[in-house]
Amino acid sequence: MTVSWSIHRRAGHLAGALRLAEDLQRLFAAAEDPEQELVWALRTGFAQTARKAAGAVAWPDVLARLRPDGPP
Amino acid sequence: MDPRAFEDLVFALVRAEHPSAIQLRPPDAGRDTIVPAAGDRRERAWQAKHHTSGIKWSDCEASLKTAVESRDPEEVTFVFPLDLTEGKEEGLKELRGLYAEDKVRVADPWFAATLRETLLANPDIREAHIDRVLSLGEGYAHEMFRRDASLSERWSQQTAAALEGPLAAYGQQERLQDAEQAVDDGDHARASVLYEQIADALTELTPGIADAMALLAARAAAEAGDRPRAGGLYLRVSRSAAARGDSLAEYAAFRASWLLEERERWRSQAATARAAWPELPDGSIEQLIEAFERCLAKGDGDGIAEWADAACEALAAQGDWGRVADIAGRAAEALGPVTEQGPRLEIELERRDALAETGGEFQDAYRQLTLAPVGRSAHGPRIHARWAAALARTGRGPEAAERFRVAADGWQARGGAEDEIAEAVLSEDVVARQYGAGRRLGQPEVVAVSELRGRDITPTVLADRRETAGCGPGLRTAVTRHAAR
């Protein structure tokens, strides 16, 4: 599925990439992997989910995922 | 498509074969389209049944009885927009058992597959009843007409490839027989060359089969004791399969690692890493970067492009845009201007996205790329779509919507890639929902757009295949259910 997301991203498919990112976020939530859940929640723009996932991840790992200079 | 439009479509298809056909409107005595009685033939009738969630035989039975009692047709054909499933066969048998065949014959129904085939044979009907309904426009229809000859040829080739076997359809059957004969004669070196020639001939037409042939070439080279050639062929397969996201990439890289000399083995390790990063990013990405640095140090242009492209893709998936910018920038400097699609173009696109993601100015860079020859080629629409996605990611809604529309128009003019039109339209819808700019789709439009399918193997097709492979329907259901709990 990451490959599928990557193909969508590289093809400029905003809708396809968001749909896959959402699936992956749910998948990692179900697998109880908050670090990866955080990554995909940030990509989907799910702020609440990202906040919740970040609570279960060590701060340095959260920091590594954040880009203050990046797009909103 | 609503039931009335479906009846119109069926009428058009019947009339294409029987010019005397006429269409009836309710009350139609159980027949939508008829070919009137003529000579010693009684009336023949076609009933369009717009059953979309499974065939309702009881409804067909009622229509058949009405038709027999009112008009005494010789033959009735039912037409459905879906295919017959195993559990529904019994209903057809029962329907046929209602009347003796000399009273009324229930012909083989037209199912979705029959309709698809008939539409292919009648492109004018497809254009009028399918494409126009989807608002693909007159300009598009004109363009399609202009390209019809070449597209039809390609379509026919693909159909023939499915029916006769791809090698016969693409004129490679004789060479394949020669290669197999060479294997039987123990002349593996010759067999390897012949298999590779077939692979070369099929690379553009059907890359999956080309890879299968290249694997045979590699195996034959190994049998002939030519290990460097065998290793190189396995690497070729790995590279090609990776570009399609095919899991064959890892297998081929693994085989290469057995054959290459120690000093060349880094190539197979990097190829393995390229196939493995989605599952195992730790370690794999560093290996890809190492391959890039090695090629950069040696001034190996092809290697720089290949491994910078792979490393950027993996790093972008990790959100490590700083390193994407660094690698893409150094690769671009070493490789010079973009002149064609492939890894070099991918690097340029990643470089621009890295700028966008790190808060840099990316618009001019994208604009320049669209004005370059590669931007005005068949790959232009994808560049516009990438630009649009970057605009959306950086909160520029109206510009993103406009750019997605440019991408959709570009795909439309190119033809054969309706999936990409669909993705651009759906992406504009996402922008409209998020930023209130651009065209927002209603539910029926979303369904219509999602069902657009073209003739080319586009990124959408590849992504769908990988998604299906990575997330079967059962897994998706489980995830959704879990999320809902």
Side-chain angles (χ1 to χ4, degrees):
Chain A
M1 287 179 72
T2 312
V3 176
S4 180
W5 172 82
S6 185
I7 293 170
H8 277 305
R9 181 188 70 80
R10 294 189 121 193
H13 300 162
L14 182 67
L18 278 174
R19 185 171 53 77
L20 260 295
E22 197 176 319
D23 280 350
L24 281 157
Q25 178 269 315
R26 285 181 184 167
L27 194 63
F28 284 112
E32 294 174 4
D33 182 340
E35 196 177 339
Q36 282 301 309
E37 187 193 354
L38 172 64
V39 169
W40 294 102
L42 288 170
R43 282 188 184 142
T44 54
F46 291 165
Q48 297 296 330
T49 309
R51 183 181 296 171
K52 190 169 156 236
V57 178
W59 174 242
D61 294 330
V62 175
L63 197 58
R65 302 291 178 194
L66 300 180
R67 294 196 314 276
D69 295 334
Chain B
M1 178 175 283
D2 61 23
R4 178 97 180 242
F6 187 60
E7 286 176 12
D8 291 345
L9 171 67
V10 171
F11 168 63
L13 291 173
V14 173
R15 198 177 52 174
E17 200 175 330
H18 305 282
S20 63
I22 54 175
Q23 190 177 29
L24 304 170
R25 286 290 177 209
D28 55 11
R31 303 142 306 122
D32 299 312
T33 294
I34 62 163
V35 173
D40 59 350
R41 297 210 67 171
R42 283 148 53 210
E43 190 174 286
R44 281 168 285 166
W46 280 259
Q47 258 289 334
K49 292 292 179 192
H50 193 253
H51 299 167
T52 52
S53 55
I55 295 172
K56 298 175 193 123
W57 289 115
S58 57
D59 178 37
C60 300
E61 187 180 322
S63 296
L64 180 64
K65 280 181 178 167
T66 309
V68 169
E69 285 162 16
S70 312
R71 304 280 301 212
D72 191 29
E74 172 186 306
E75 183 179 271
V76 174
T77 305
F78 288 94
V79 186
F80 306 100
L82 33 71
D83 282 317
L84 184 66
T85 54
E86 201 178 326
K88 293 283 185 181
E89 283 173 344
E90 202 54 39
L92 179 60
K93 270 189 201 165
E94 284 173 16
L95 195 68
R96 283 177 163 158
L98 286 176
Y99 296 98
E101 201 161 301
D102 55 355
K103 175 67 180 165
V104 61
R105 182 172 167 269
V106 177
D108 287 340
W110 293 5
F111 296 111
T114 329
L115 288 171
R116 270 195 295 274
E117 196 178 310
T118 318
L119 282 168
L120 282 180
N122 294 279
D124 52 334
I125 296 177
R126 180 194 155 101
E127 192 273 326
H129 290 262
I130 307 287
D131 297 345
R132 195 167 294 165
V133 171
L134 295 176
S135 303
L136 293 181
E138 293 296 323
Y140 177 66
H142 178 74
E143 187 65 18
M144 286 298 286
F145 179 74
R146 195 177 64 76
R147 283 193 307 265
D148 193 46
S150 62
L151 288 173
S152 294
E153 186 185 340
R154 178 149 188 217
W155 192 263
S156 304
Q157 270 188 331
Q158 288 175 354
T159 309
L163 296 175
E164 301 166 20
L167 295 168
Y170 294 124
Q172 297 296 320
Q173 192 66 33
E174 202 173 316
R175 197 176 272 166
L176 177 67
Q177 283 164 356
D178 287 349
E180 287 169 345
Q181 187 60 50
V183 171
D184 289 344
D185 295 344
D187 189 350
H188 295 288
R190 177 174 151 72
S192 177
V193 170
L194 288 167
Y195 282 130
E196 190 184 15
Q197 285 172 355
I198 300 173
D200 290 342
L202 299 182
T203 297
E204 295 295 324
L205 294 164
T206 167
I209 297 163
D211 285 351
M213 290 295 119
L215 278 181
L216 289 174
R219 196 173 298 159
E223 285 286 332
D226 190 346
R227 295 171 67 90
R229 174 177 162 76
L233 284 163
Y234 277 122
L235 285 179
R236 163 190 170 155
V237 173
S238 183
R239 187 184 308 121
S240 158
R244 300 193 311 280
D246 193 316
S247 55
L248 183 63
E250 193 164 7
Y251 164 79
F254 174 72
R255 297 295 306 179
S257 69
W258 285 56
L259 293 157
L260 294 173
E261 287 179 33
E262 184 64 38
R263 65 189 165 82
E264 290 294 309
R265 205 158 288 165
W266 66 270
R267 294 183 191 278
S268 63
Q269 287 165 352
T272 305
R274 176 174 49 199
W277 71 258
E279 299 278 347
L280 299 166
D282 293 341
S284 299
I285 294 177
E286 297 311 320
Q287 214 143 26
L288 293 174
I289 295 171
E290 193 185 314
F292 161 69
E293 299 290 1
R294 187 189 284 263
C295 293
L296 192 65
K298 285 199 303 186
D300 169 4
D302 289 344
I304 293 169
E306 180 175 0
W307 300 116
D309 173 27
C312 286
E313 181 179 17
L315 286 166
Q318 297 302 303
D320 194 344
W321 289 103
R323 283 209 286 179
V324 172
D326 170 52
I327 290 173
R330 287 192 291 140
E333 195 177 319
L335 293 169
V338 193
T339 53
E340 57 186 16
Q341 62 127 359
R344 180 69 189 88
L345 175 59
E346 298 306 324
I347 291 164
E348 270 320 308
L349 292 169
E350 295 291 24
R351 199 175 165 200
R352 282 152 180 76
D353 279 0
L355 273 173
E357 293 287 339
T358 53
E361 169 47 50
F362 62 95
Q363 293 250 55
D364 278 347
Y366 260 117
R367 193 169 291 112
Q368 281 168 17
L369 196 57
T370 58
L371 295 173
V374 72
R376 287 182 273 114
S377 72
H379 306 283
R382 191 161 73 85
I383 298 172
H384 285 286
R386 280 284 286 264
W387 185 358
L391 286 163
R393 291 272 301 145
T394 51
R396 296 162 164 96
E399 291 166 90
E402 189 189 332
R403 195 57 49 190
F404 274 125
R405 193 157 288 189
V406 172
D409 289 347
W411 287 120
Q412 195 166 311
R414 178 179 173 275
E418 279 75 3
D419 314 68
E420 295 302 308
I421 299 174
E423 281 294 339
V425 173
L426 291 171
S427 295
E428 189 185 341
D429 178 53
V430 168
V431 172
R433 284 165 198 275
Q434 183 69 29
Y435 299 110
R439 181 185 171 204
R440 188 167 175 170
L441 304 178
Q443 191 58 27
E445 289 165 306
V446 169
V447 173
V449 171
S450 303
E451 286 177 354
L452 270 179
R453 284 291 173 264
R455 303 172 190 203
D456 290 352
I457 304 296
T458 60
T460 314
V461 176
L462 293 176
D464 283 354
R465 286 180 186 169
R466 298 322 304 160
E467 186 183 349
T468 307
C471 181
L475 179 57
R476 183 184 286 272
T477 307
V479 170
T480 309
R481 197 176 297 147
H482 188 97
R485 263 211 310 269

